[in-house]
């Protein structure tokens, strides 16, 4: 499964610079609004030390990492929900993503224009949030109109759905996001197919100056308070530094980070945080042909994990021969792990754990 993240924010906050660093896809970056007119898409490998170690031990012909798809969506402005600044097109791109990466400018620089005239993360976040809410309100009101017509038949189920979406419309109209709408699982069925924008999980990416990566600043603290309200994750990064890192070879990158006193780049931390936000974990397959990382939801059973590789694996699942990554690393090979009794035979009810190295047995 590919996780799809949409990078959003006001113009000139560092979105395209971040995207370029992530994917080296060459999205134009300029000091004026709307330089990214069509969404740029980049498939980015997920950094994972465990995959590197397995590859080193197994020495396969190929090593294939898990990936995340990033979509660079042009800067939104106040009025985007009404079509301002190409807003309607950009908002439709957000509807297709699993996670919103909200880039927030958290630095002062007179040379870089701010579309609102000053730096104020709380205001900037609210502008984007309001546009998502207004677009959702428009979508929900259409559903209300549709259900009102159907409700004339007296169908109790339709009337119950109408009641739910009317309450949701009032909630959105009050300026609240769909994420804070209290609803039962059954009630949510009335609108879950609308894929509401303000219901999506958010990861805040705070763009700071070079000397504030480790310490943060008052702007970052303000964003953290907002993130805490929804249990959202927050990552600080410096777009300028990430752009420089993207140009370096792996060993140079390590030295550069060491000089800065940083253990992991902002991009690495952002990618890991995106995984955590959506409750994703990684399992591995390791053989002479390839060592590969696979992405699944936390709580996935062994047959469904096998199905991520191929539907035939799930359909004909017999068992999973499983080694914890730590055991594989400590013992150095599948053979050694098996001889040490560290290879487990797991059945259909086994819940796959993060880092499991797995071999699936199945009937064709």
């Amino acid at each position: 499964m590919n996780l799809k993240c949409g990078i959003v924010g006001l113009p000139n906050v560092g979105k395209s610079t971040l995207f370029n660093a992530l994917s080296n896809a060459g999205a134009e970056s300029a000091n004026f609004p709307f330089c990214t007119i069509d969404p740029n898409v980049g498939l980015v490998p997920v950094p994972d030390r465990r995959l590197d170690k397995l590859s080193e031990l197994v020495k396969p012909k190929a090593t294939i990492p898990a990936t995340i798809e990033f979509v660079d969506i042009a800067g939104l402005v106040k009025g985007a929900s009404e079509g301002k600044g190409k807003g309607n097109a950009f908002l439709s791109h957000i509807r297709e993503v699993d996670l919103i990466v909200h880039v927030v400018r958290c630095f002062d620089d007179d040379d870089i224009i701010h579309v609102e005239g000053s730096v104020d993360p709380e205001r900037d976040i609210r502008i984007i949030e309001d546009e998502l809410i207004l677009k959702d309100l428009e979508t929900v009101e259409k559903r209300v109109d549709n259900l009102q017509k159907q409700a004339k038949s007296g169908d109790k189920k339709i009337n119950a759905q109408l009641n739910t979406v009317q309450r949701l419309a009032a909630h959105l109209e009050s300026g609240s996001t769909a994420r804070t709408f209290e609803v039962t699982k059954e009630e949510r069925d009335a609108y879950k197919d609308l894929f509401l924008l303000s219901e999506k999980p958010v990861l805040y990416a705070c763009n700071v100056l070079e000397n504030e990566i480790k310490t943060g600043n008052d702007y970052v603290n303000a964003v953290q308070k907002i993130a805490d309200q929804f249990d959202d994750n927050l990552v600080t990064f410096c777009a300028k530094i990430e752009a420089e890192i993207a140009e370096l070879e792996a060993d140079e990158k390590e030295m550069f980070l060491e000089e800065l006193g940083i253990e992991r780049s902002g991009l690495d931390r952002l990618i890991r945080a995106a995984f955590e936000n959506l409750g994703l974990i990684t399992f591995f397959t390791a053989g002479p042909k390839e060592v590969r990382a696979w992405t699944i939801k936390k709580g996935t059973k062994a047959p469904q994990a096998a199905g991520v590789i191929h539907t035939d694996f799930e359909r004909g699942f017999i068992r999973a021969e499983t080694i914890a990554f730590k055991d594989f690393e400590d013992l150095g090979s599948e053979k050694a792990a098996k001889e040490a009794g560290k290879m487990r035979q797991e059945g259909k009810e086994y819940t796959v754990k993060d880092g499991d190295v797995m071999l699936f047995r199945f009937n064709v």
Side-chain angles (χ1 to χ4, degrees):
M1 60 183 293
N2 268 343
L3 167 65
K4 193 172 186 179
C5 301
I7 302 175
V8 306
L10 292 175
N12 291 342
V13 295
K15 298 181 314 301
S16 291
T17 305
L18 173 64
F19 177 79
N20 289 346
L22 277 164
S23 63
N24 289 322
E28 182 188 357
S29 181
N31 187 21
F32 56 87
F34 315 126
C35 64
T36 311
I37 300 302
D38 294 314
N40 292 278
V41 180
L43 204 58
V44 183
V46 177
D48 197 320
R49 184 196 72 81
R50 299 169 302 180
L51 181 70
D52 298 336
K53 187 63 183 177
L54 285 172
S55 189
E56 180 189 313
L57 294 170
V58 178
K59 296 179 174 56
K61 290 179 181 176
T63 300
I64 304 172
T67 56
I68 290 185
E69 191 173 307
F70 281 93
V71 183
D72 179 25
I73 297 165
L76 296 171
V77 293
K78 201 179 288 181
S81 60
E82 299 167 359
K84 287 185 182 176
K86 305 289 185 183
N88 278 325
F90 301 152
L91 287 166
S92 70
H93 296 311
I94 299 172
R95 201 175 300 284
E96 299 166 7
V97 305
D98 303 297
L99 173 72
I100 293 173
V101 177
H102 190 157
V103 181
V104 186
R105 177 169 164 178
C106 292
F107 66 89
D108 293 306
D109 187 335
D110 294 337
D111 293 331
I112 299 178
I113 300 163
H114 192 294
V115 73
E116 289 295 317
S118 63
V119 178
D120 183 341
E122 290 179 77
R123 177 206 60 211
D124 294 352
I125 288 170
R126 190 65 213 183
I127 287 172
I128 300 295
E129 201 172 71
D130 283 348
E131 294 309 317
L132 300 186
I133 290 168
L134 286 168
K135 194 64 182 175
D136 282 347
L137 182 59
E138 181 187 311
T139 304
V140 170
E141 284 176 339
K142 286 178 184 174
R143 176 59 55 89
V144 169
D145 290 344
N146 191 27
L147 287 171
Q148 281 177 332
K149 291 171 187 172
Q150 295 179 50
K152 290 175 182 176
S153 67
D155 188 310
K156 287 183 179 179
K157 188 177 177 182
I158 296 295
N159 273 295
Q161 289 179 351
L162 175 60
N163 177 263
T164 299
V165 293
Q166 283 176 327
R167 285 193 295 115
L168 174 57
H171 179 81
L172 293 168
E173 206 162 5
S174 73
S176 302
T177 67
R179 287 205 284 171
T180 60
F181 183 54
E182 293 184 10
V183 67
T184 66
K185 190 179 177 183
E186 290 73 24
E187 287 174 327
R188 191 175 173 276
D189 287 343
Y191 63 88
K192 69 179 181 182
D193 61 320
L194 298 179
F195 301 103
L196 298 178
L197 307 176
S198 68
E199 197 174 30
K200 293 182 182 294
V202 178
L203 168 60
Y204 291 101
C206 296
N207 189 6
V208 299
L209 296 174
E210 296 170 61
N211 61 346
E212 294 175 331
I213 297 173
K214 291 197 287 184
T215 61
N217 56 36
D218 290 341
Y219 293 144
V220 174
N221 295 338
V223 179
Q224 186 67 65
K225 284 181 185 176
I226 295 168
D228 288 343
Q229 292 173 20
F230 297 102
D231 289 326
D232 289 327
N233 283 338
L234 178 151
V235 172
T236 56
F237 77 103
C238 172
K240 186 181 176 184
I241 286 177
E242 298 302 331
E244 289 176 26
I245 290 173
E247 300 298 320
L248 301 174
E249 297 296 330
D251 54 341
E252 293 175 321
K253 174 183 169 181
E254 216 168 284
M255 285 173 62
F256 184 62
L257 289 173
E258 206 173 295
E259 284 173 19
L260 292 170
I262 304 169
E263 192 177 327
R264 289 192 297 162
S265 73
L267 300 191
D268 284 3
R269 287 183 284 108
L270 187 146
I271 292 167
R272 295 312 312 178
F275 256 55
E276 289 167 20
N277 255 43
L278 290 175
L280 300 173
I281 62 171
T282 302
F283 75 88
F284 303 97
T285 51
K289 285 187 179 178
E290 69 173 35
V291 167
R292 184 164 183 164
W294 302 88
T295 304
I296 55 171
K297 284 273 189 186
K298 194 180 291 182
T300 299
K301 301 287 187 184
Q304 286 69 52
V308 171
I309 300 174
H310 198 289
T311 51
D312 286 349
F313 286 22
E314 180 177 358
R315 195 161 41 241
F317 180 88
I318 299 172
R319 67 178 183 277
E321 296 175 359
T322 308
I323 305 167
F325 169 76
K326 185 70 170 63
D327 291 332
F328 201 113
E329 181 181 35
D330 290 345
L331 295 163
S333 71
E334 180 186 305
K335 184 173 181 289
K338 192 172 184 178
E339 288 171 353
K342 295 295 184 179
M343 178 184 274
R344 310 183 309 274
Q345 307 292 317
E346 302 289 1
K348 291 182 178 181
E349 293 306 308
Y350 176 68
T351 300
V352 178
K353 295 179 176 58
D354 187 40
D356 277 349
V357 183
M358 309 187 79
L359 174 64
F360 296 104
R361 300 295 183 186
F362 65 100
N363 284 321
V364 179

